[in-house]
Amino acid sequence: MPDPATLSKNEYIVYGLRDFYAAVYNYNTETGAITYTDCAAIGHGITATLGFRFAEGRLYASGVLRRFKRKLTGGSVSFGVDVLKLEMQKMLFQAQETEVKIKVGTAQTEKTIKNIGYGEATPGHPVGYAYYAPADDNDADDSFFCVFVRKAQFGPPETSYNTENDSITWVTPTTTGEFMAPDHKTGTPAPLMIEQTEVDTEEEAVAWCKAMLGMTT
């Protein structure tokens, strides 16, 4: 077993959050390959949470705990960004696109407006996503901590609007969901659900997030 001290030369302490990237999760039942499509930057990060869920078993005998087993089964995830564009909502939540024609002004100029909507035909689909955060590593320059979630499913964000008053309150979307075990063929090793790393620069952090999702540029 490698010495944990060799995994990182410095002590990385995260103090912020930067950008999110996501893509539609695809699984090939014949080859067992996991791929991603429609990869894109989905927004500038405000919050990110990741909670693990375990199945646990305890065997008591002769009045004491004799066996204990713990298995990661998935967990809860959420992220908040400054803006979640309609195109990103289509990709993340399988929102359905519709359109309506309106007439504007005294000339009654016709214009087509595109909408997105949710209903029984939009159950959502799995996605993979990644994000990164700056970290203090005891050096003069900051490093970055990166997180990749292989398979998760989110629901549309809840929103709450209020009229303006003496102060302006920004309305920013936060979406919640679950991460789960990725698909794999029987008899093959199960893919990791979560992967993390530490890199030296923001350029490396962005490249790592994109590479985990199969983005080439």
Side-chain angles (χ1 to χ4, degrees), residues 2-169:
D3 182 355
T6 65
L7 297 178
S8 177
K9 296 181 295 183
N10 299 309
E11 295 179 356
Y12 287 73
I13 302 176
V14 176
Y15 67 84
L17 180 63
R18 293 297 182 262
D19 295 344
F20 283 88
Y21 298 83
V24 177
Y25 171 98
N26 303 282
Y27 175 68
N28 188 312
T29 57
E30 294 183 0
T31 65
I34 294 173
T35 58
Y36 297 95
T37 53
D38 300 328
C39 302
I42 58 175
H44 303 301
I46 296 176
T47 61
T49 63
L50 180 64
F52 292 89
R53 185 174 296 110
F54 297 89
E56 297 181 346
R58 293 172 175 81
L59 174 65
Y60 290 87
S62 297
V64 296
L65 180 64
R66 294 289 182 180
R67 294 285 181 88
F68 174 73
K69 191 173 184 65
R70 200 179 203 202
K71 179 181 178 182
L72 178 63
T73 59
S76 59
V77 286
S78 73
F79 66 82
V81 291
D82 55 350
V83 176
L84 198 54
K85 296 180 180 179
L86 298 187
E87 285 298 318
M88 292 300 101
Q89 293 189 47
K90 284 174 57 181
M91 184 268 284
L92 283 170
F93 315 126
Q94 204 179 18
Q96 183 175 325
E97 184 176 295
T98 63
E99 62 180 41
V100 62
K101 295 184 183 298
I102 63 173
K103 293 184 178 181
V104 184
T106 55
Q108 292 290 280
T109 304
E110 189 173 88
K111 184 177 182 180
T112 299
I113 304 295
K114 291 186 177 181
N115 317 317
I116 62 167
Y118 300 95
E120 293 182 358
T122 59
H125 54 201
V127 299
Y129 75 102
Y131 56 94
Y132 67 97
D136 183 359
D137 66 356
N138 296 331
D139 285 343
D141 297 323
D142 287 336
S143 295
F144 291 85
F145 184 73
C146 311
V147 179
F148 168 62
V149 180
R150 184 160 271 108
K151 182 182 181 182
Q153 189 160 333
F154 294 94
E158 295 184 4
T159 54
S160 177
Y161 302 99
N162 295 287
T163 190
E164 308 93 326
N165 47 45
D166 293 337
S167 61
I168 294 175
T169 301

Side-chain angles (χ1 to χ4, degrees), residues 170-183:
W170 303 106
V171 178
T172 57
T174 297
T175 179
T176 61
E178 297 281 323
F179 76 87
M180 62 202 83
D183 302 278

